């Protein structure tokens, strides 16, 4: 069976490569065991998409399952307007647009284009501030595309036991898996 990475892992791996491992440990548990308020707020913000209530317009795909053979990725998009070609990733609130956010959008882009859709524009939508942030397409930003491909390679070759880990206090303090990690490091 082929191994496909969830698109969400792209951002999670940048935050902390170990978080992917811990997330897998909790996969069969109720989310209340490990999720904190920010995760619940994010889930609530995506409720309309997940329930396909965001729009009744037939040309808008919402919560649509996507995959890429080339990059071995799979996941769901938030919204894609087939008429305008706009792929939108909705965030509850955006303070900073991190590389991981962009890489998730790139993953969705590559999945959709490989599946035959014509994606003309990428953007983030900040729901709290009602603000749109455009993102260059991968072929327009060669540096970010190279970083995207490097990240996928790093994830595919990551070995939890063999890869040195340097904790970052600011990240470890905000990690929902901190109780599982070697606390003496943080």
């Amino acid at each position: 069976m082929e191994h496909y990475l969830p698109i969400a892992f792209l951002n999670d791996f940048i935050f902390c490569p170990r978080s992917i491992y811990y997330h897998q440990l909790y996969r069969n548990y109720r989310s209340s065991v490990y999720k904190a308020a920010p995760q619940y707020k994010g889930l609530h913000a995506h409720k309309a998409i997940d329930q396909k209530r965001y729009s009744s317009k037939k040309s808008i795909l919402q919560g649509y399952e996507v995959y890429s053979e080339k990059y071995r990725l799979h996941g769901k998009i938030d919204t894609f307007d087939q008429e305008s070609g706009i792929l939108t990733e909705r965030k509850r609130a955006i303070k900073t647009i991190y590389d991981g956010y962009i890489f998730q959008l790139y993953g969705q882009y590559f999945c959709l284009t490989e599946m035959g859709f014509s994606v003309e524009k990428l953007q983030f939508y900040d729901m709290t501030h009602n603000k749109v942030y455009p993102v260059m397409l991968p072929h327009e930003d060669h540096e970010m595309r190279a970083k995207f491909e490097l990240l996928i390679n790093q994830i595919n070759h990551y070995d939890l036991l063999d890869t040195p880990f340097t904790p970052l206090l600011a990240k470890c303090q905000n990690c929902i898996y901190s109780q599982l990690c070697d606390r003496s490091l943080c």
Side-chain angles (χ1 to χ4, degrees):
M1 179 175 208
E2 294 292 325
H3 170 70
Y4 282 76
L5 292 171
I7 292 170
F9 279 12
L10 300 174
N11 187 47
D12 295 347
F13 187 84
I14 291 172
F15 178 77
C16 177
R18 292 176 164 213
S19 70
I20 293 171
Y21 171 75
Y22 295 131
H23 182 76
Q24 296 306 308
L25 287 177
Y26 278 124
R27 141 176 81 203
N28 295 322
Y29 289 87
R30 288 187 322 214
S31 60
S32 62
V33 170
Y34 61 94
K35 286 189 177 174
Q39 287 77 34
Y40 285 113
K41 288 178 182 176
L43 285 172
H44 183 70
H46 280 87
K47 198 173 188 175
I49 298 294
D50 294 337
Q51 296 176 349
K52 298 180 178 19
R53 296 184 288 108
Y54 170 74
S55 175
S56 60
K57 192 174 175 185
K58 298 283 186 215
S59 68
I60 296 182
L61 302 178
Q62 45 193 327
Y64 191 74
E65 295 273 348
V66 295
Y67 71 96
S68 166
E69 287 284 330
K70 178 180 179 179
Y71 292 107
R72 300 283 190 230
L73 293 171
H74 75 93
K76 287 184 180 183
I77 61 164
D78 281 354
T79 63
F80 175 63
D81 186 329
Q82 297 177 82
E83 289 177 359
S84 66
I86 298 174
L87 173 61
T88 304
E89 173 70 15
R90 296 163 51 92
K91 300 284 186 192
R92 190 181 73 76
I94 298 174
K95 295 177 187 169
T96 304
I97 297 179
Y98 297 102
D99 285 358
Y101 288 2
I102 293 172
F103 297 153
Q104 284 181 288
L105 202 51
Y106 278 12
Q108 295 170 19
Y109 166 85
F110 287 120
C111 289
L112 281 171
T113 56
E114 198 173 309
M115 292 170 68
F117 293 96
S118 180
V119 182
E120 304 297 326
K121 186 176 174 184
L122 304 176
Q123 65 185 25
F124 290 105
Y125 174 66
D126 179 329
M127 297 166 63
T128 302
H129 302 102
N130 192 28
K131 188 168 180 183
V132 171
Y133 297 91
V135 174
M136 288 192 291
L137 293 167
H139 66 272
E140 298 170 334
D141 191 337
H142 300 288
E143 180 182 343
M144 286 300 282
R145 181 174 182 160
K147 287 169 71 175
F148 168 82
E149 291 176 348
L150 177 64
L151 174 66
I152 289 177
N153 187 52
Q154 289 172 330
I155 293 171
N156 285 327
H157 293 94
Y158 183 77
D159 183 334
L160 180 71
L161 300 175
D162 247 5
T163 307
F165 176 69
T166 305
L168 298 173
L169 187 59
K171 286 186 177 183
C172 292
Q173 288 175 331
N174 293 311
C175 180
I176 61 175
Y177 304 114
S178 63
Q179 299 300 321
L180 294 174
C181 208
D182 184 351
R183 302 278 303 160
S184 65
L185 294 174
C186 297

